[in-house]
């Protein structure tokens, strides 16, 4: 079974992560996000950035997590491929590991402007968590 | 959209009649064919907008309307602050003031064609584009605030371009009232290295030739004729704009519930215009507009430098620079009464008719130039605003073709490298940082811009002046 995937959306792109826990689904959702932008298999974990964010509910927290990652990646010229998430109520503490974006190595496709609330869902089905939303490209 | 559920006003105008929740009806400007091609979501989203407090006359859809976040792309709505009107992040979008700047070069196709490869290659090397691209300008904290306040005026003051460029830029190059204090540090950090970068996705820099002139008088005023070479820059406010959008999607979402605004869709994130939250968004979004204006001004300067080197006989001058993701305060007539309204244009271009004070003097009699981008394989258009469009659509027109299929599907159908070869065979040089990115942007993944522009013309929202075809296109 896949840990993450992208799904079709008319104007943009949907991203989806699966996991045994919501935390794991968040981590895999972040992988799906960066897979829209680059070949994430080529991204090494040379640099670590810590991420803290919070929201009133788990679904909004997923969007906050993704948008926090986009913000750090864009302002520092980084791409990420490994993630760790701990959720405590409405608070998320986590980290992302990656490296400086290199065109030859990471084969970028397209920039993601933001994660949105569209088709946003964090839920447990058949003992597996899924976290998904559409991202604006 | 099912046309049976719409009321036909005339050949090019349709109405979604008002129901209980709606404060006004919706109006869609399109041909029967375009209406049938439109997704049902457009109806839902236009209807949601019609339910927002203080909306005036009608919730409007342009001929290229398609699904968006909150508002549809191609959605226009005006709100009166004195009638509890709101301002909505969903009415502007994440790429604040994304727009088109078109420059003329004083050169003809015959003069440029022998050097077109060198020209396109040089533009590709000079103008940073693609994921994570950074420019040569590196800004310190206080300098970022200067960009956010000054826009293209900031850029010209620092030697990027000439004063005359400002006359032909919306807002004379600087959106008044921007407040960098309402822009987050995260957003500013994203701007530090991104001034003068194109970005990726549907953004582009194109060398075009005028292939057909429809309106000789307007074309002459703009100084263009058949076979003239133009350059179009399509980009926006980059990471800074995206971050302002992200920040205020959250802030205005919670403000809406505090003010008891019933949002049909979370992405409509709104606050009353007169509220503290509404004003904060307005002045932050204005800072985003300035960022986009500065960005296109700096890229325009780079285009000039490239021409100076490759084709030094060129005289690169502005035709116009107009944004298509904004909310602006404008005077409009509503039931014969002059009102100051907050006009949201999401994926829609301002298209003022003759006589409006916002238009440069040179264009006062022909109307404001409206710059419509197509795809890298088809064509673009220059139009001018009309009096009729100013009255019926708050002076608005379409902004492009709109996607016909998903990025994922496009990548399944086309291969970037093959597409580049095919287009080159047809006389269009593509230079891109990403082949999969090119596949996602395949001309076939978009609707037919000709049909959209014809609908705008026939609905008299704006008038066709010239059709432009690409000779070369830089993609992210």
């Amino acid at each position: 079974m896949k840990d993450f995937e992208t799904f079709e959306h008319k104007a943009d792109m949907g991203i989806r992560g699966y996991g045994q826990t919501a935390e794991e689904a968040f981590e895999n959702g972040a992988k799906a996000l960066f897979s829209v932008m680059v070949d994430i298999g080529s991204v090494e974990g040379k640099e670590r950035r810590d991420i803290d964010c919070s929201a009133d509910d788990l679904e909004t927290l997923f969007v906050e997590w993704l948008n926090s990652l986009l913000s750090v990646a864009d302002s520092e010229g980084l791409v990420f491929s490994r993630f760790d998430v701990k959720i405590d109520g409405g608070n998320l503490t986590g980290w992302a590991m990656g490296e400086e974006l290199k065109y030859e190595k990471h084969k970028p496709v397209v920039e993601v402007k933001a994660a949105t609330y569209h088709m946003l869902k964090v839920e447990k089905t058949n003992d597996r968590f899924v976290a998904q939303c559409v991202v604006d490209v | 959209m099912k046309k049976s559920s719409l009321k036909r006003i005339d050949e090019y105008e349709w109405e979604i009649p008002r129901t209980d929740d709606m404060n006004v009806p919706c109006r869609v400007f399109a041909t029967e064919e375009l209406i049938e091609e439109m997704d049902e979501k457009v109806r839902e989203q236009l209807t949601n907008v019609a339910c927002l407090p203080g909306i005036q006359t009608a919730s409007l859809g342009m001929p290229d309307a398609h699904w968006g976040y909150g508002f549809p792309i191609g959605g226009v709505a005006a709100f009166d602050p004195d009638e509890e009107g709101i301002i909505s992040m969903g009415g502007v979008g994440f790429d604040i003031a994304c727009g088109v700047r078109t420059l003329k070069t004083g050169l003809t196709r015959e003069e440029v064609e022998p050097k077109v490869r060198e020209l396109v290659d040089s533009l590709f090397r000079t103008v940073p584009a693609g994921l994570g691209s950074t420019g040569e300008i590196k800004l310190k904290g206080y300098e970022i605030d200067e960009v956010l306040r000054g826009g293209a005026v900031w850029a010209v003051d620092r030697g990027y371009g000439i004063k005359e460029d400002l006359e032909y830029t919306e807002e004379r190059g600087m959106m008044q009232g921007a407040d960098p204090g309402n822009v987050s540090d995260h957003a500013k950090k994203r701007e530090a290295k991104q001034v003068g970068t194109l970005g990726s996705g549907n953004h582009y820099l194109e060398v075009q030739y005028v292939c057909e002139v429809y309106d000789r008088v307007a074309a002459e005023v703009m100084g263009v004729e058949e076979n003239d070479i133009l350059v179009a820059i399509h980009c926006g406010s980059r990471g800074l704009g995206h971050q302002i959008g992200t920040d205020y999607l959250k802030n205005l979402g919670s403000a809406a519930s505090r003010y008891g605004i019933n949002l049909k869709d979370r992405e409509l994130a709104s606050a009353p215009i007169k509220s503290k939250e509404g004003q904060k968004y307005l002045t932050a979004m204005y800072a985003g507009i300035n960022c986009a204006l500065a960005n296109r001004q700096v890229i325009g300067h780079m285009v000039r430098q490239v021409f100076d080197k490759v084709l030094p006989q060129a005289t690169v001058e502005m035709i116009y620079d107009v944004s298509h993701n904004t909310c602006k305060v404008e005077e409009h007539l509503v039931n014969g009464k002059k009102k100051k309204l907050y006009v949201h244009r999401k994926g829609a271009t301002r298209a003022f008719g003759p006589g409006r004070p916002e238009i440069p003097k040179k264009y006062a009699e022909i109307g404001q130039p409206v710059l419509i981008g197509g795809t890298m394989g088809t064509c673009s258009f220059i139009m001018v605003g009309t009096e009729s469009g100013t009255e019926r659509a708050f002076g608005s027109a379409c902004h492009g073709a709109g996607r016909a299929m998903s990025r994922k599907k496009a990548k399944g159908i086309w291969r970037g490298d093959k597409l580049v070869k095919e287009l080159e065979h047809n006389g269009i040089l593509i230079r891109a940082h990403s082949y999969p990115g090119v596949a996602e942007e395949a001309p076939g993944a978009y609707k037919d811009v000709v049909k959209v522009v014809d609908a705008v013309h026939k609905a008299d929202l704006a008038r066709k002046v010239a059709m432009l075809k690409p000779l070369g296109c830089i993609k992210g």
Side-chain angles (χ1 to χ4, degrees):
Chain A
M1 259 179 160
K2 273 185 265 183
D3 289 334
F4 66 88
E5 62 190 357
T6 58
F7 60 92
E8 251 181 63
H9 181 270
K10 190 157 182 186
D12 288 315
M13 195 79 91
I15 57 116
R16 187 180 286 143
Y18 298 99
Q20 294 305 312
T21 59
E23 286 151 337
E24 204 185 340
F26 273 44
E27 291 162 9
N28 286 327
K31 284 187 185 172
L33 169 68
F34 281 88
S35 78
V36 173
M37 297 189 272
V38 290
D39 167 19
I40 68 159
S42 66
V43 178
E44 293 175 70
K46 292 179 183 169
E47 306 241 3
R48 176 180 149 157
R49 292 291 179 273
D50 293 328
I51 305 282
D52 291 304
C53 54
S54 58
D56 293 339
D57 59 80
L58 198 57
E59 290 187 334
T60 310
L61 191 61
F62 183 55
V63 171
E64 286 298 307
W65 156 243
L66 299 177
N67 280 329
S68 302
L69 291 169
L70 284 175
S71 182
V72 175
D74 190 43
S75 51
E76 296 196 47
L78 298 170
V79 275
F80 300 120
S81 59
R82 286 170 53 205
F83 306 91
D84 184 74
V85 167
K86 295 274 178 297
I87 297 170
D88 179 11
N91 298 313
L92 182 154
T93 50
W95 50 253
M97 292 192 71
E99 61 178 320
E100 200 181 307
L101 171 70
K102 289 198 182 67
Y103 267 65
E104 288 301 307
K105 184 175 177 185
H106 303 127
K107 300 186 175 54
V109 180
V110 72
E111 214 159 38
V112 172
K113 292 174 191 158
T116 76
Y117 300 142
H118 190 65
M119 296 179 77
L120 171 62
K121 197 166 74 175
V122 179
E123 63 179 29
K124 194 177 178 184
T125 42
N126 305 327
D127 289 335
R128 220 171 168 217
F129 277 88
V130 56
Q132 69 165 48
C133 72
V134 168
V135 296
D136 189 355
V137 175
Chain B
M1 283 199 299
K2 282 194 204 79
K3 62 174 197 252
S4 57
S5 57
L6 299 171
K7 195 172 124 194
R8 194 166 193 163
I9 307 288
D10 62 32
E11 217 180 330
Y12 305 104
E13 193 173 340
W14 309 70
E15 185 176 281
I16 303 171
R18 194 179 150 187
T19 55
D20 286 352
D21 287 355
M22 295 160 73
N23 295 315
V24 292
C26 310
R27 291 275 170 102
V28 185
F29 299 93
T31 56
E32 197 169 322
E33 189 187 352
L34 288 169
I35 287 282
E36 281 171 345
E37 283 173 13
M38 263 177 213
D39 38 320
E40 280 300 318
K41 267 282 180 191
V42 173
R43 172 209 304 280
E44 187 187 318
Q45 294 189 322
L46 284 176
T47 305
N48 291 344
V49 172
C51 298
L52 292 168
I55 184 167
Q56 303 292 300
T57 315
S59 163
L60 303 174
M62 298 293 117
D64 55 341
H66 57 280
W67 180 95
Y69 301 99
F71 277 49
I73 313 293
V76 175
F79 297 85
D80 184 346
D82 294 331
E83 292 177 22
E84 292 168 8
I86 55 88
I87 180 162
S88 171
M89 176 271 157
V92 176
F94 290 103
D95 198 359
I96 297 166
C98 181
V100 180
R101 165 173 295 221
T102 302
L103 303 150
K104 54 187 175 180
T105 65
L107 300 175
T108 64
R109 197 175 164 186
E110 290 70 31
E111 289 168 303
V112 171
E113 264 177 345
K115 291 207 140 190
V116 71
R117 193 169 293 269
E118 191 186 338
L119 177 68
V120 172
D121 284 336
S122 183
L123 286 167
F124 184 61
R125 280 195 306 270
T126 308
V127 180
L131 173 68
S133 49
T134 53
E136 275 184 19
I137 303 172
K138 307 275 187 288
L139 300 169
K140 293 188 194 78
Y142 70 94
E143 291 172 318
I144 295 172
D145 286 1
E146 287 174 5
V147 177
L148 301 190
R149 275 193 211 97
V153 173
W154 168 87
V156 170
D157 284 348
R158 267 146 199 83
Y160 301 100
I162 51 174
K163 280 232 154 55
E164 287 71 35
D165 296 342
L166 301 173
E167 172 65 14
Y168 300 104
T169 304
E170 247 188 316
E171 314 300 337
R172 307 294 191 276
M174 177 166 90
M175 191 74 219
Q176 302 283 344
D179 185 353
N182 291 329
V183 176
S184 72
D185 289 340
H186 286 303
K188 290 178 189 175
K189 206 172 165 197
R190 290 174 77 163
E191 172 72 354
K193 297 178 196 165
Q194 290 187 347
V195 180
T197 64
L198 205 56
S200 72
N202 64 358
H203 298 143
Y204 61 77
L205 189 156
E206 211 168 77
V207 178
Q208 312 166 324
Y209 69 94
V210 179
C211 81
E212 196 173 352
V213 170
Y214 308 98
D215 184 328
R216 296 254 157 236
V217 175
E220 200 178 319
V221 172
M222 291 182 201
V224 296
E225 55 185 70
E226 274 101 345
N227 285 321
D228 277 1
I229 294 293
L230 310 180
V231 175
I233 301 159
H234 174 221
C235 65
S237 48
R238 308 282 287 110
L240 176 120
H242 309 163
Q243 189 69 45
I244 293 172
T246 301
D247 293 339
Y248 281 91
L249 175 60
K250 196 177 165 189
N251 296 356
L252 295 189
S254 53
S257 55
R258 276 199 302 282
Y259 289 101
I261 301 167
N262 176 24
L263 297 179
K264 300 274 178 189
D265 174 351
R266 211 174 159 184
E267 237 112 24
L268 284 170
S270 311
I273 292 164
K274 288 185 171 175
S275 70
K276 190 174 76 219
E277 293 88 342
Q279 286 301 309
K280 273 181 122 173
Y281 173 63
L282 180 76
T283 53
M285 188 258 301
Y286 280 177
I289 292 178
N290 280 332
C291 163
L293 295 178
N295 201 24
R296 291 195 289 272
Q297 180 66 34
V298 171
I299 295 175
H301 174 70
M302 290 185 220
V303 168
R304 268 199 190 110
Q305 286 181 316
V306 168
F307 270 87
D308 279 350
K309 207 168 58 190
V310 181
L311 291 152
Q313 70 273 38
T315 47
V316 180
E317 290 172 359
M318 291 281 288
I319 292 179
Y320 202 56
D321 180 305
V322 64
S323 302
H324 46 234
N325 285 340
T326 59
C327 174
K328 291 183 171 177
V329 187
E330 298 166 2
E331 254 182 20
H332 289 279
L333 282 176
V334 178
N335 298 326
K337 199 177 149 201
K338 210 182 254 182
K339 284 182 162 193
K340 238 183 200 157
L341 303 178
Y342 285 62
V343 183
H344 295 66
R345 295 186 183 87
K346 165 92 163 283
T349 311
R350 181 143 94 175
F352 280 153
R356 288 283 304 209
E358 294 91 341
I359 305 179
K361 262 196 213 106
K362 185 168 141 185
Y363 301 138
E365 281 176 26
I366 59 165
Q368 174 221 305
V370 180
L371 309 169
I372 310 299
T375 72
M376 56 189 165
T378 53
C379 55
S380 298
F381 288 88
I382 299 179
M383 308 183 83
V384 280
T386 62
E387 271 156 7
S388 160
T390 309
E391 280 165 26
R392 289 152 59 229
F394 302 107
S396 312
C398 70
H399 86 306
R403 286 196 83 85
M405 73 170 73
S406 74
R407 293 178 173 275
K408 213 172 153 96
K409 197 176 272 172
K411 267 197 294 196
I413 295 176
W414 291 283
R415 276 190 45 161
D417 51 352
K418 229 178 126 201
L419 204 57
V420 169
K421 280 202 191 100
E422 271 172 38
L423 288 165
E424 181 158 348
H425 185 73
N426 297 334
I428 304 164
L429 296 175
I430 307 295
R431 295 291 179 269
H433 292 279
S434 164
Y435 279 137
V438 169
E440 289 186 2
E441 289 292 314
Y446 281 87
K447 287 186 209 162
D448 186 353
V449 69
V450 176
K451 285 184 196 167
V452 169
V453 163
D454 277 343
V456 170
H457 180 85
K458 286 174 178 156
D460 202 15
L461 298 181
R463 217 168 59 241
K464 286 199 288 186
V465 175
M467 183 201 265
L468 320 168
K469 285 203 167 171
L471 285 179
C473 184
I474 313 296
K475 296 288 290 183

